[in-house]
Amino acid sequence: MNNIPYCYTEEEWQKIKRQFDSDFDRYNKHIKSFRELINELLEGETEGSFERKTGLSPNMFSRIRTQIDKKNPPQRNTLMSVAVGYNFDYQLTVALLDSIGLKFILSNPRDYAYQFLLTNCRGKTVDECNDILKCLGVEEKYWLGIHARKYKPL
């Protein structure tokens, strides 16, 4: 017999359990280089689908799969655009950051807002997340998607 927490219906719990299992499997495959991991995660995607989901340019689709590494990391909002566009969870995004020698600094308001998106706003689009970032007071240069194209890192 299935155990179902009393606060969920059977249907709700099945959906949450499937998400848990999927997230767990994806996270535990993270012990790879950034390129290996991102190519697995973006397998079957096209430049067009990447651009629609992330708001990033088709050129970034190629760049993120072939040129990003510890010596050539992406802007944080570029990686967040991918994480939001593909509904990555917090742990998987942390694994991607870690694979290129970066991490969230939760004393930084931008990074705290990013982790807030990943933990509290999953399933929202890049545009919806930009609205959330705006309302949280995050500067536009740190917004996602097309905004990541406008600004170069400091």
Side-chain angles (χ1 to χ4, degrees), residues 7-8 10 27 31 62-63 67 114 123 133:
C7 58
Y8 291 105
E10 184 173 353
Y27 176 77
I31 305 173
S62 175
R63 183 173 177 269
Q67 297 175 19
Y114 286 168
L133 291 172

Side-chain angles (χ1 to χ4, degrees), residues 93-146:
T93 305
V94 166
L96 282 167
L97 285 167
D98 186 54
S99 73
I100 51 176
L102 300 175
K103 65 180 182 173
F104 285 121
I105 301 167
L106 298 183
S107 60
N108 177 301
R110 174 207 58 200
D111 283 4
Y112 198 85
Y114 286 168
Q115 74 83 31
F116 179 83
L117 293 177
L118 295 168
T119 56
N120 295 294
C121 307
R122 280 190 75 192
K124 301 289 186 198
T125 67
V126 167
D127 289 337
E128 290 168 330
C129 286
N130 279 335
D131 191 44
I132 293 165
L133 291 172
K134 177 182 177 182
C135 291
L136 291 174
V138 174
E139 293 178 69
E140 184 178 358
K141 67 183 177 180
Y142 300 125
W143 294 1
L144 312 178
I146 194 167

Side-chain angles (χ1 to χ4, degrees), residues 10-76:
E10 184 173 353
E11 184 178 325
E12 290 170 332
W13 179 246
Q14 288 173 354
K15 181 179 178 184
I16 288 170
K17 181 69 168 81
R18 279 191 304 273
Q19 185 68 55
F20 172 85
D21 291 341
S22 172
D23 290 347
F24 183 79
D25 289 344
R26 287 198 305 183
Y27 176 77
N28 282 291
K29 293 178 183 176
H30 82 276
I31 305 173
K32 298 177 181 180
S33 72
F34 179 86
R35 271 190 213 144
E36 288 174 302
L37 184 55
I38 201 70
N39 279 298
E40 279 183 16
L41 294 168
L42 298 179
E43 186 176 346
E45 293 295 319
T46 65
E47 290 177 347
S49 64
F50 178 84
E51 184 175 24
R52 279 189 303 281
K53 290 178 181 179
T54 66
L56 299 171
S57 72
N59 290 341
M60 182 54 72
F61 179 68
S62 175
R63 183 173 177 269
I64 204 162
R65 291 174 40 245
T66 61
Q67 297 175 19
I68 299 295
D69 58 25
K70 284 185 179 183
K71 293 179 183 176
N72 188 23
Q75 295 179 77
R76 207 169 290 250

